[in-house]
Amino acid sequence: MESSLQNLNPDAADFRSVARALTIVENDLAGAADLLKKLTFKKNVPVIGITGPPGAGKSTLVNSLINSLLTGDNKIAVLAVDPTSPFNFGSLLGDRIRMAAHFNHPGVFIRSLATRGSLGGLSAKTIEMTDVLRAAGFDYILVETVGVGQSEVEIAGLADITLLVLVPESGDEIQNIKSGLMEIADAFIVNKADRADSELFANNLKKIIHQNKADQIPVFKTIASTGEGINEVTSFILKAPHLKNKRKAYLLAEKAYKIIQFKRMADIDKKKLQDDIAGASLKPGFNFYSFLEDY
């Protein structure tokens, strides 16, 4: 375990040690807790969260951001989160397909992981794995969330910069702005801006945002598949780390709550719970709440 910590660095030749550390943490293998407690952060690594509804082009946007941020000796890590099936507990982990061009790049580390049932798109493991990458000394960490929609506000507790990706077909802007998802964004990205009514959508979005917020949150238009507009988003990312996050204490508390919740539920076997409730529910007079008292 000690050697895994000592070798935790983002050198291309040492991506294997980073991958091993992530596997230990993700699967709660022996030494995971010790590894996390010994993490040291030698530099301030921006964590950039990319969130938004399904079909907004988040993975393609991440791919374009990698191209733009990958200058000089920069090392970039990507965590791509995919949904877990509630029935077979599997996950497609398909986001990496759109990042295939960077698989063998010596400066890019890509890891897919599952939500493990988290409704907000992030599990406690995602938080811990992001901290492992921060300790490894990457220059930028991109976390692409699952794209479940309005419940996906947990990313704000993890990321230093949250980018909300929308498309011109996202619908009623006023309905969107009421959701928690819209309230967490540090910047809005109207992707697929070559589609009809993208200019109208972006302008209406700007009006609504600036009516409801004192800070002038930017709205960018991009076509991620061609890289159009990506330089403007990158410039914002490069300037954003110095901005003070007024929600920091709240977001750290949310992050802590997620970890504590996971640890306290660690002894609950979800498959056994499913089997137990399946059997108990067949008995006459079954009461769901009485059943739960045993847990």
Side-chain angles (χ1 to χ4, degrees):
M1 178 54 56
E2 198 64 43
S3 61
S4 294
L5 285 168
Q6 291 172 351
N7 293 328
L8 204 55
N9 67 73
D11 290 339
D14 204 39
F15 276 0
R16 289 183 181 178
S17 68
V18 177
R20 281 195 294 270
L22 289 173
T23 298
I24 290 169
V25 169
E26 183 179 15
N27 296 289
D28 266 333
L29 301 180
D34 187 51
L35 189 155
L36 288 169
K37 285 187 283 189
K38 290 184 179 180
L39 293 178
T40 56
F41 307 101
K42 297 178 181 178
K43 63 179 181 179
N44 185 23
V45 183
V47 177
I48 301 140
I50 294 93
T51 188
K58 295 186 296 295
S59 297
T60 306
L61 181 74
V62 169
N63 189 60
S64 292
L65 285 175
I66 293 172
N67 281 330
S68 189
L69 292 169
L70 203 58
T71 58
D73 296 326
N74 279 349
K75 299 272 191 288
I76 298 172
V78 179
L79 282 182
V81 185
D82 266 344
T84 304
S85 167
F87 302 107
N88 60 25
F89 307 107
S91 184
L92 180 60
L93 302 179
D95 288 333
R96 292 179 297 176
I97 295 171
R98 297 177 182 87
M99 306 173 204
H102 295 107
F103 276 167
N104 296 319
H105 194 288
V108 180
F109 179 88
I110 300 172
R111 177 82 170 219
S112 290
L113 65 154
T115 60
R116 298 181 175 229
S118 172
L119 292 178
L122 295 180
S123 68
K125 291 294 141 191
T126 311
I127 296 170
E128 293 171 350
M129 291 167 73
T130 300
D131 280 337
V132 170
L133 292 173
R134 287 177 57 230
F138 286 93
D139 296 288
Y140 297 96
I141 299 171
L142 304 176
V143 180
E144 181 201 342
T145 66
V146 70
V148 297
Q150 294 186 358
S151 67
E152 205 172 343
V153 298
E154 292 172 359
I155 186 64
L158 174 67
D160 300 299
I161 305 164
T162 300
L163 306 177
L164 175 55
V165 186
L166 301 168
V167 286
E169 300 88 351
S170 290
D172 184 353
E173 302 93 339
I174 295 177
Q175 185 60 38
N176 279 332
I177 203 69
K178 291 178 181 177
S179 70
L181 183 59
M182 297 293 285
E183 296 168 359
I184 65 170
D186 296 300
F188 296 86
I189 298 175
V190 179
N191 193 31
K192 305 182 182 180
D194 52 340
R195 292 186 175 180
D197 296 327
S198 63
E199 187 71 31
L200 177 63
F201 178 83
N203 287 337
N204 288 341
L205 191 56
K206 289 177 185 177
K207 291 176 184 176
I208 295 167
I209 293 166
H210 298 161
Q211 282 175 358
N212 289 275
K213 291 182 178 287
D215 299 329
Q216 297 294 299
I217 297 177
V219 176
F220 300 104
K221 293 196 303 176
T222 64
I223 306 174
S225 58
T226 64
E228 186 175 329
I230 296 299
N231 287 339
E232 288 79 2
V233 178
T234 304
S235 295
F236 171 77
I237 290 171
L238 296 176
K239 295 175 183 176
H242 74 276
L243 300 176
K244 291 185 178 180
N245 192 337
K246 299 175 183 177
R247 302 169 296 175
K248 191 68 175 179
Y250 168 77
L251 298 177
L252 282 173
E254 288 294 301
K255 179 177 175 179
Y257 183 86
K258 194 75 177 176
I259 298 292
I260 294 168
Q261 182 185 50
F262 173 78
K263 297 298 183 184
R264 291 190 177 181
M265 291 290 291
D267 62 335
I268 302 296
D269 185 331
K270 198 170 183 179
K271 182 63 171 64
K272 183 178 183 301
L273 174 62
Q274 180 180 320
D275 292 341
D276 289 349
I277 201 168
S281 63
L282 297 175
K283 297 178 181 178
F286 168 74
N287 182 284
F288 179 73
Y289 299 97
S290 297
F291 170 83
L292 289 180
E293 286 184 354
D294 293 335
Y295 282 85

